[in-house]
Amino acid sequence: MTPETSARKPELRVLLCAPRGFCAGVVRAIDAVERALEIYGPPVYVRHEIVHNKYVVEGLKAKGAVFVEELDEIPAGTTAPVIFSAHGVARAVPEDAARRNFFAIDATCPLVTKVHREATVHHKRGREVVLIGHAGHPEVIGTMGQLPEGAVSLVETAEQARLFQPRDPGNLAFTTQTTLSIDDTAEIVAILRERFPAMVAPHKEDICYATTNRQEAVKRVAPAVDAMIVVGAPNSSNSQRLREAAEREGCRHAVLVQRAGEIDWGVFGAIASLGVSAGASAPEILVEEILDAFAARYTLRVETVHTAHEDVFFPLPRQLRSDAAE
Ligand code: SF4
């Protein structure tokens, strides 16, 4: 491009949310698959998308990971590792893997495991567990599957919280999915608390630090921009919540985009300011791809808006640490 054409490009102020993108649980899960491939060689079986991002999944496939939805898709008698995704699995899954003599490696995020433990403790203490979350999400299936069928009641909306009828209103506890909207969840919890004041709450918030920090950054940036892009997959809960948070803060054009090719230039081709964030499962390289696409049309003035500092790190699953050491 000649300096003359570049001079004609309009200016675009870009506010880049920080933190954004990969969280410690996602980094650990992807590392687990990569390390397993290095240590044991391909194939490495992964139950469900290791994290909700097609780019990441395709990259791991190219290195020899084989993604399956259920264990019966894995050949009987294999000695290859079978990795459970960051979202966690129902108790029946590792039990089934043990029956099949599979070498299972659990890459469930430790913050999801914390929720599993809470639900189990409440159940042991005879409490009915209310799980606030989205039906059908793998994390919700995994958390509900920690307890016998019927022991967990799922509440998805404020309306359901108003109508919920527990077996014993004096003996309730709640947990939540880790990737929910902070504001929606606060509303649901407030309704339940008002109706059931004795309801036991988590010691520490179940919505994880990464979800919280990314939503706070989006809430700061969204009111100050004409449009907002959240890099992330449609099946990524935390990415969807970021888009909704931007919309709720008054940003008229807040969209979820997986790759630069999806950008609707009818909307994004005539703006003066843009906010950019990325869900916890979206790699930074895709944020760069999006910025490059804008740089081809605009002269960018990029500012980073920091709202929190993150230094969370989770070590690899135990089996991988000891086998790597050997
Ligand atoms: S979003 Fe939170 S709970 Fe989910 S993997 Fe990341 S850190 Fe863990």
Side-chain angles (χ1 to χ4, degrees), residues 61-84:
K61 267 188 198 168
K63 293 179 185 170
V66 177
F67 289 84
V68 298
E69 280 309 306
E70 295 303 338
L71 296 183
D72 58 14
E73 295 164 48
I74 300 171
T78 183
T79 55
V82 178
I83 301 185
F84 304 144

Side-chain angles (χ1 to χ4, degrees), residues 23 25-26 109 111-112 178-179 208-211 280:
C23 61
V26 160
C109 175
L111 299 181
V112 175
T178 57
T179 51
C208 76
Y209 79 96
T211 299

Side-chain angles (χ1 to χ4, degrees), residues 3-322:
E4 208 182 346
T5 19
S6 114
R8 281 207 299 270
K9 286 197 288 187
E11 239 194 40
L12 181 67
R13 181 173 177 236
V14 178
L15 299 187
L16 207 47
C17 295
R20 66 177 175 278
F22 276 7
C23 61
V26 160
V27 168
R28 175 180 183 263
I30 297 168
D31 279 358
V33 179
E34 286 182 337
R35 289 303 284 278
L37 284 163
E38 277 164 30
I39 299 170
Y40 312 107
V44 164
Y45 293 96
V46 184
R47 185 185 177 278
H48 193 67
E49 286 186 333
I50 186 75
V51 299
H52 284 156
N53 190 279
K54 218 192 268 177
Y55 181 89
V56 171
V57 167
E58 292 304 322
L60 292 172
K61 267 188 198 168
K63 293 179 185 170
V66 177
F67 289 84
V68 298
E69 280 309 306
E70 295 303 338
L71 296 183
D72 58 14
E73 295 164 48
I74 300 171
T78 183
T79 55
V82 178
I83 301 185
F84 304 144
S85 78
H87 313 96
V89 289
R91 209 175 268 273
V93 174
E95 288 169 0
D96 186 19
R99 265 194 306 274
R100 294 170 190 262
N101 274 327
F102 286 160
F103 168 34
I105 297 173
D106 189 0
T108 302
C109 175
L111 299 181
V112 175
T113 304
K114 164 191 168 283
V115 178
H116 290 181
R117 289 212 186 98
E118 280 167 9
T120 307
V121 168
H122 291 313
H123 183 64
K124 278 192 182 142
R125 293 187 178 160
R127 296 173 186 138
E128 180 176 351
V129 178
V130 178
L131 173 64
I132 302 169
H134 298 293
H137 188 278
E139 184 186 321
V140 164
I141 294 169
T143 302
M144 294 185 83
Q146 299 306 304
L147 303 186
E149 205 160 334
V152 180
S153 301
L154 183 66
V155 169
E156 292 188 80
T157 60
E159 185 57 19
Q160 287 179 4
R162 280 186 204 101
L163 299 173
F164 172 59
Q165 293 300 336
R167 288 188 289 276
D168 176 2
N171 204 15
L172 271 182
F174 80 91
T175 58
T176 80
Q177 192 178 334
T178 57
T179 51
L180 298 179
S181 149
I182 303 166
D183 296 336
D184 287 348
T185 308
E187 187 191 356
I188 293 172
V189 170
I191 293 166
L192 290 171
R193 276 214 170 108
E194 199 187 327
R195 294 186 61 210
F196 313 112
M199 181 177 69
V200 178
H203 290 302
K204 192 174 177 286
E205 200 59 63
D206 287 336
I207 296 179
C208 76
Y209 79 96
T211 299
T212 307
N213 292 345
R214 281 150 192 70
Q215 283 179 27
E216 292 301 339
V218 163
K219 281 158 110 178
R220 174 88 65 85
V221 164
V225 291
D226 295 338
M228 183 108 200
I229 281 190
V230 175
V231 185
N235 60 343
S236 159
S237 169
N238 79 86
S239 305
Q240 288 286 9
R241 305 294 84 79
L242 292 178
R243 193 200 61 75
E244 290 167 7
E247 211 166 53
R248 194 176 291 188
E249 292 300 317
C251 182
R252 278 184 305 131
H253 304 294
V255 300
L256 197 60
V257 161
Q258 298 195 77
R259 300 295 299 258
E262 294 172 18
I263 299 170
D264 177 358
W265 294 109
V267 173
F268 287 90
I271 52 174
S273 57
L274 172 75
V276 177
S277 182
S281 43
E284 187 63 13
I285 192 167
L286 298 184
V287 174
E288 285 164 14
E289 180 183 285
I290 303 283
L291 290 178
D292 285 347
F294 277 94
R297 290 165 176 82
Y298 292 96
T299 301
L300 302 190
R301 192 155 49 82
V302 181
E303 298 162 39
T304 302
V305 179
H306 290 275
T307 51
H309 169 70
E310 291 182 350
D311 55 6
V312 180
F313 167 78
F314 298 131
L316 283 171
R318 196 169 19 86
Q319 302 95 321
L320 289 171
R321 274 179 278 149
S322 47

